[in-house]
Amino acid sequence: MILKRTLLFASFILSGSLYSQTNATLTLPVVTLMDIEPTGNITLNFTAPTEAGNPLTNPTPNTSKWVNYTSAITSGGLTRKITAAISGTLIAGVDIKLQAAAASGAGGGTLGTPSAQVTLTNTPVTIISGIGGAFTGNGANNGHRLTISLVPNTYANLATKASTTLTIVYTITE
């Protein structure tokens, strides 16, 4: 009995002086991902007036699209921005306007700040800036809601068009 207690006591003393360790190597890659949700096309059509002397009725702005992103930047790295531009031939007399809203939904981190409403051209213009290490959540109702509007800019330049398809190109960069 005394021998068992002595061995038990000795094992407690020895176990306090023994240890083990495990080294863990961690990697956080630089991540830059962005998409527009939901996928698919939108349609914006002017409505002709029914009374002479009245202007065209602008289409209701489309608010069905959301920009989602994930960003992991290098230590001390620059923030990122998202730009938008039109690919295709712009329609004379018509402006395409875009406004990104403040981020909402399931995201976290240093989410970007939207710019004021912009008029899209073939030259990229910043719509969201200051994106750091962040994620917006995925899908509609996460990220920045986009409002896309079609408005006349110069009535003298308007010409009838049956249908024109343009592409809005979004790019995330540092």
Side-chain angles (χ1 to χ4, degrees):
M1 183 68 143
I2 294 177
L3 181 60
K4 281 187 180 180
R5 284 186 187 164
T6 305
L7 288 174
L8 184 59
F9 181 69
S11 70
F12 280 126
I13 291 173
L14 289 175
S15 68
S17 63
L18 298 175
Y19 68 94
S20 67
Q21 72 181 39
T22 301
N23 294 327
T25 302
L26 304 173
T27 303
L28 176 60
V30 174
V31 178
T32 309
L33 297 169
M34 185 223 28
D35 68 3
I36 305 299
E37 298 284 347
T39 59
N41 299 329
I42 63 169
T43 301
L44 298 170
N45 294 317
F46 287 104
T47 304
T50 57
E51 181 66 36
N54 288 335
L56 293 169
T57 301
N58 296 346
T60 301
N62 183 289
T63 59
S64 67
K65 301 296 182 183
W66 292 77
V67 62
N68 299 159
Y69 52 82
T70 300
S71 172
I73 57 176
T74 60
S75 178
L78 301 173
T79 58
R80 294 196 166 97
K81 66 181 178 180
I82 296 175
T83 61
I86 296 294
S87 175
T89 303
L90 297 168
I91 303 168
V94 175
D95 283 338
I96 300 172
K97 305 236 181 222
L98 187 136
Q99 173 71 60
S104 63
T110 305
L111 297 166
T113 303
S115 66
Q117 184 182 58
V118 298
T119 300
L120 297 178
T121 66
N122 298 117
T123 303
V125 60
T126 300
I127 62 168
I128 301 169
S129 61
I131 300 167
F135 71 102
T136 58
N138 186 37
N141 301 314
N142 289 299
H144 300 264
R145 181 189 291 265
L146 300 175
T147 299
I148 304 164
S149 309
L150 191 63
V151 296
N153 65 22
T154 307
Y155 266 83
N157 293 338
L158 290 178
T160 302
K161 292 268 188 184
S163 179
T164 299
T165 300
L166 299 172
T167 301
I168 303 174
V169 178
Y170 300 92
T171 307
I172 186 169
T173 60
E174 287 187 353

